[in-house]
């Protein structure tokens, strides 16, 4: 008996968002969809029907597909472990190096993602270019913040000194008032 190949990524992808299933639910027509994708689809459509076959769903809250959920979570976990084991970060969907940066979605993508319908017509450039650009932007944005922090620290130090001085003066004044009150009290007893 021939061994069956493991499930393909397509079989483990939601037909609505085209990503690996997250919290899949099982419809009465036997199709599976991510729970959030289904809710959004139903809200947009205004009726409870399957996004794949358009058959009306008998349940308002379809049950979670636990087996599918577990398989997808195991796949994502294994990819995550493999990518963390290596020095480079890998695409969670395609297990490829994230060499490109999608400027439209502001996220790193692999070559396969760039060619897929999710990012097909998006502006992408090499990650190295974007990293350099972002570092420069962060550096220029950080400089005025560091200056402000220095000014604020100096102001806080001044306020702390003023507060300490006021506290000392208040204690001194309180002592003087008590002494004068004691003198008046002694004077009134005579």
């Amino acid at each position: 008996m021939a061994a069956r190949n493991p499930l393909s990524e397509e079989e483990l992808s939601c037909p609505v968002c085209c990503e690996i299933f997250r919290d899949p639910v099982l419809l009465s027509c036997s199709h599976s969809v991510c729970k959030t994708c289904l809710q959004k689809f139903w809200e947009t459509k205004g009726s409870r029907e399957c996004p794949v076959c358009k058959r009306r769903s008998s349940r308002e809250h379809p049950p979670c597909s636990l087996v599918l959920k577990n398989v997808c979570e195991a796949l994502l976990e294994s990819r995550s472990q493999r990518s963390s084991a290596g020095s480079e970060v890998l695409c969670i969907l395609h297990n490829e190096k994230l060499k490109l940066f999608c400027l439209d979605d502001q996220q790193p993508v692999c070559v396969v993602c760039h060619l897929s319908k999710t990012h097909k017509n998006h502006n992408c450039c090499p990650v190295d270019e974007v990293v350099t650009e972002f570092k420069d932007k962060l550096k220029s944005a950080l400089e005025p913040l560091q200056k402000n922090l220095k000014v604020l620290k100096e102001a806080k130090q001044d306020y702390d000194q003023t507060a300490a001085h006021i506290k000392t003066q208040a204690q001194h004044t309180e002592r003087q008032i008590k002494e004068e009150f004691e003198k008046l009290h002694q004077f009134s007893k005579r």
Side-chain angles (χ1 to χ4, degrees):
M1 186 165 121
R4 188 183 187 283
N5 289 337
L7 291 172
S8 71
E9 189 176 298
E10 189 175 302
E11 293 173 298
L12 297 175
S13 297
C14 171
V16 176
C17 67
C18 300
E19 303 286 336
I20 300 295
F21 282 107
R22 303 239 182 227
D23 224 3
V25 292
L26 183 64
L27 298 171
S28 53
C29 60
S30 297
H31 286 115
S32 292
V33 184
C34 293
K35 184 177 182 178
T36 54
C37 291
L38 182 65
Q39 289 170 343
K40 287 178 186 176
F41 181 80
W42 283 356
E43 286 173 16
T44 305
K45 195 77 172 162
S47 63
R48 292 193 316 254
E49 62 183 46
C50 172
V52 179
C53 68
K54 308 297 184 220
R55 194 166 142 196
R56 183 144 175 82
S57 177
S58 58
R59 293 185 171 187
E60 187 175 343
H61 302 288
C64 178
S65 178
L66 291 175
V67 172
L68 185 56
K69 181 179 181 180
N70 291 339
V71 170
C72 290
E73 285 177 355
L75 172 70
L76 293 172
E77 181 65 29
S78 70
R79 285 184 179 176
S80 173
Q81 287 174 352
R82 276 185 277 160
S83 68
S84 64
S87 60
E88 67 275 337
V89 180
L90 300 178
C91 174
I92 198 165
L93 296 174
H94 307 108
N95 213 24
E96 297 282 331
K97 291 181 184 178
L98 298 173
K99 293 184 177 182
L100 300 171
F101 188 82
C102 177
L103 298 170
D104 296 345
D105 293 331
Q106 292 290 297
Q107 69 181 34
V109 295
C110 71
V111 177
V112 179
C113 284
H114 177 59
L115 297 174
S116 71
K117 66 180 176 182
T118 309
H119 299 277
K120 191 169 190 160
N121 295 320
H122 291 185
N123 293 322
C124 292
C125 67
V127 167
D128 296 342
E129 289 179 17
V130 176
V131 167
T132 305
E133 186 180 324
F134 278 140
K135 279 183 180 178
D136 292 342
K137 283 183 182 178
L138 282 173
K139 187 177 178 182
S140 63
L142 188 59
E143 286 174 6
L145 293 174
Q146 287 175 327
K147 288 178 183 175
N148 285 346
L149 181 61
K150 184 181 177 186
V151 168
L152 289 172
K153 282 182 178 179
E154 290 171 358
K156 183 185 181 307
Q157 189 176 6
D158 290 346
Y159 290 134
D160 288 345
Q161 288 174 349
T162 304
H165 179 69
I166 290 171
K167 186 177 180 180
T168 304
Q169 277 187 326
Q171 290 171 345
H172 178 69
T173 305
E174 184 180 354
R175 232 183 350 261
Q176 280 183 324
I177 291 171
K178 284 181 180 177
E179 288 172 4
E180 292 297 322
F181 182 75
E182 190 60 36
K183 287 179 185 176
L184 281 171
H185 187 66
Q186 293 296 330
F187 181 73
S188 67
K189 283 185 176 180
R190 293 185 193 171

